[in-house]
């Protein structure tokens, strides 16, 4: 049993490292392959950083992060420890993308990762109906307020953002005003039922079950003659084995282009509406199939991050 537990820990660590390296492509570092050049980039982050934060302090050792931007709101965070002699020991690094606006006001809980000084956030928004799990970008702020229970219960908002390596642009579903109004009413009714079901209302639970059966029946009939993406406007569902990875389909609200200062690679910044949630994603221009425009849809797999607005 002990050997199996150790094997699981090693496997988890291995998966995390793959995850971190994989999503560096999303911020414009997809063409860098040599270990030497990676070390040069990480050295830049350590010595020419834009932000320095102390995440926690234990046993005369400070866990800290150096953050360097390579485009506005886009960069690399280098985490490690500093001892009493001011010697920094690198432990891990990850890409980050700071989103804009407010995504949700849902209550949040956060849990520390087993293998590193990083936190995973969990919140449940009634508009989605599932627990949203994300990497916490400002772990230092969370740790400072972790013992202030009353304060944490009044967390005003969360800003989510997604890193995406590649994606596809889809045309919108054609709908008239009457159809759009009906869809909004159905969405609001479902949200109210979800809130009531969460509070233990048996009638709401039964109503949701009947709605799901009815939806499944309608979709099954339409799939005989229609494509699934002409039926489903948007979706957000877990993807792969990692808890903070999602497959999404969202409507593009706004799109702009920026560039990685180091690699000069072009990156799209898109504001999306996904299941009534609003958040930004970044994706390399060269890895995006199609031309993104307002009103069109974006489909891809993202690593979800979030900033808790204390």
């Amino acid at each position: 049993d002990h050997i199996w537990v150790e094997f699981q820990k090693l496997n988890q660590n291995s998966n995390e490292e793959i995850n971190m390296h994989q999503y560096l492509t999303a911020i414009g570092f997809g063409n860098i392959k040599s270990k030497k050049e990676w070390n040069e980039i990480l050295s830049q982050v350590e010595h020419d950083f834009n932000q320095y934060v102390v995440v926690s302090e234990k046993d005369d050792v400070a866990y800290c992060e150096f953050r360097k931007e390579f485009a506005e709101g886009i960069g690399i965070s280098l985490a490690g420890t500093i001892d009493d002699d001011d010697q920094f020991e690198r432990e891990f690094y990850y890409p980050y993308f700071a989103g804009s606006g407010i995504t949700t006001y849902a209550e949040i809980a956060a849990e520390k990762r087993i293998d590193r000084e990083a936190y995973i956030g969990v919140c449940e928004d009634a508009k989605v109906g599932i627990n949203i799990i994300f990497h916490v970008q400002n772990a230092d702020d969370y740790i400072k307020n972790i013992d202030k229970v009353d304060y944490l219960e009044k967390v005003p908002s969360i800003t989510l953002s997604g890193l995406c390596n590649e994606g596809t642009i889809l045309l919108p579903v054609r709908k008239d005003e009457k159809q759009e109004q009906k869809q909004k009413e159905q969405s609001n009714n479902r949200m109210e039922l979800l809130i009531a079901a969460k509070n233990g209302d048996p009638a709401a639970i039964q109503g949701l079950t009947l709605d799901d059966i009815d939806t499944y029946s309608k979709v099954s009939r339409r799939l005989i003659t229609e494509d699934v993406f002409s039926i489903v406007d948007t979706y957000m569902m877990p993807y792969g084995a990692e808890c903070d990875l999602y497959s999404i389909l969202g409507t593009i609200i706004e799109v702009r282009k920026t560039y990685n200062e180091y690699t000069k690679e072009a990156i799209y910044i898109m504001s999306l509406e996904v299941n009534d949630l609003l958040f930004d994603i970044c994706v390399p221009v060269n890895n995006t199939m199609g031309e993104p425009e307002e009103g069109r849809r974006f489909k891809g797999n993202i690593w979800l991050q979030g900033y808790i607005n204390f």
Side-chain angles (χ1 to χ4, degrees):
D1 290 343
H2 175 72
I3 294 174
W4 174 245
V5 170
E6 292 300 320
F7 171 76
Q8 285 182 312
K9 288 181 180 179
L10 288 172
N11 187 50
Q12 181 181 5
N13 292 345
S14 175
N15 288 338
E16 288 293 340
E17 290 303 320
I18 292 171
N19 181 30
M20 297 301 101
H21 286 281
Q22 180 184 1
Y23 282 91
L24 285 164
T25 300
I27 64 170
F29 288 103
N31 295 325
I32 296 178
K33 305 299 181 183
S34 71
K35 187 175 181 180
K36 180 180 179 182
E37 190 167 8
W38 272 127
N39 285 330
E40 290 176 357
I41 293 171
L42 295 179
S43 181
Q44 278 193 30
V45 177
E46 181 180 346
H47 298 101
D48 188 25
F49 53 87
N50 299 107
Q51 186 181 14
Y52 167 78
V53 297
V54 176
V55 179
S56 65
E57 295 183 65
K58 298 176 183 177
D59 301 326
D60 299 325
V61 175
Y63 291 86
C64 62
E65 288 187 16
F66 298 97
R67 297 170 185 165
K68 178 174 175 59
E69 285 194 349
F70 291 90
E72 185 180 355
I74 296 174
I76 294 176
S77 182
L78 178 62
T81 58
I82 293 182
D83 58 24
D84 288 340
D85 298 324
D86 291 333
Q87 295 298 313
F88 177 72
E89 182 178 350
R90 182 191 307 168
E91 291 192 356
F92 64 94
Y93 62 94
Y94 63 91
Y96 69 85
F97 167 52
S100 61
I102 303 300
T103 305
T104 179
Y105 290 88
E107 293 183 7
I108 183 175
E111 187 171 318
K112 184 182 176 300
R113 287 187 180 271
I114 297 173
D115 59 327
R116 60 185 60 183
E117 200 71 17
Y119 283 77
I120 289 292
V122 182
C123 67
E124 184 177 1
D125 193 296
K127 293 190 288 290
V128 182
I130 62 172
N131 286 332
I132 302 172
I133 303 174
F134 58 91
H135 172 84
V136 178
Q137 292 177 336
N138 56 330
D140 53 313
D141 289 335
Y142 182 82
I143 292 170
K144 290 174 185 176
N145 297 284
I146 196 169
D147 295 325
K148 301 177 183 178
V149 177
D150 293 336
Y151 183 68
L152 285 177
E153 288 177 351
K154 299 176 183 177
V155 172
S157 61
I158 304 167
T159 301
L160 296 178
S161 57
L163 278 71
C164 184
N165 285 339
E166 58 184 9
T168 304
I169 305 301
L170 303 178
L171 293 174
V173 176
R174 181 181 295 176
K175 291 177 292 186
D176 56 32
E177 291 185 6
K178 186 176 180 181
Q179 288 174 316
E180 289 183 355
Q181 183 64 30
K182 183 179 179 181
Q183 186 176 4
K184 288 181 180 178
E185 291 176 359
Q186 290 175 340
S187 178
N188 290 334
N189 291 337
R190 181 172 177 83
M191 187 169 64
E192 291 176 1
L193 284 174
L194 284 169
I195 294 172
K198 184 179 177 181
N199 294 328
D201 186 341
I205 297 172
Q206 184 179 8
L208 284 171
T209 303
L210 293 174
D211 282 348
D212 288 342
I213 294 173
D214 186 45
T215 300
Y216 177 79
S217 177
K218 289 180 180 178
V219 170
S220 298
R221 289 196 301 268
R222 291 183 61 181
L223 281 175
I224 298 174
T225 57
E226 298 180 55
D227 182 83
V228 65
F229 295 119
S230 67
I231 302 172
V232 179
D233 275 339
T234 68
Y235 64 73
M236 181 176 185
M237 57 187 180
Y239 168 77
E242 298 293 336
C243 58
D244 48 7
L245 300 183
Y246 291 88
S247 178
I248 65 166
L249 173 64
T251 302
I252 300 173
I253 306 301
E254 185 181 351
V255 60
R256 62 184 175 88
K257 190 184 293 185
T258 188
Y259 294 87
N260 184 306
E261 295 175 358
Y262 185 91
T263 64
K264 310 304 179 185
E265 187 171 341
I267 303 168
Y268 282 130
I269 306 296
M270 300 185 201
S271 297
L272 303 179
E273 180 182 348
V274 183
N275 282 25
D276 294 327
L277 291 179
L278 297 175
F279 60 87
D280 298 341
I281 63 128
C282 65
V283 59
V285 171
N286 292 336
N287 293 358
T288 304
M289 183 181 294
E291 188 69 26
E293 290 184 4
E294 181 181 339
R296 294 180 179 179
R297 295 180 294 168
F298 176 84
K299 175 180 174 291
N301 302 320
I302 65 170
W303 177 35
L304 194 64
Q305 300 184 347
Y307 190 94
I308 308 171
N309 301 304
F310 288 99

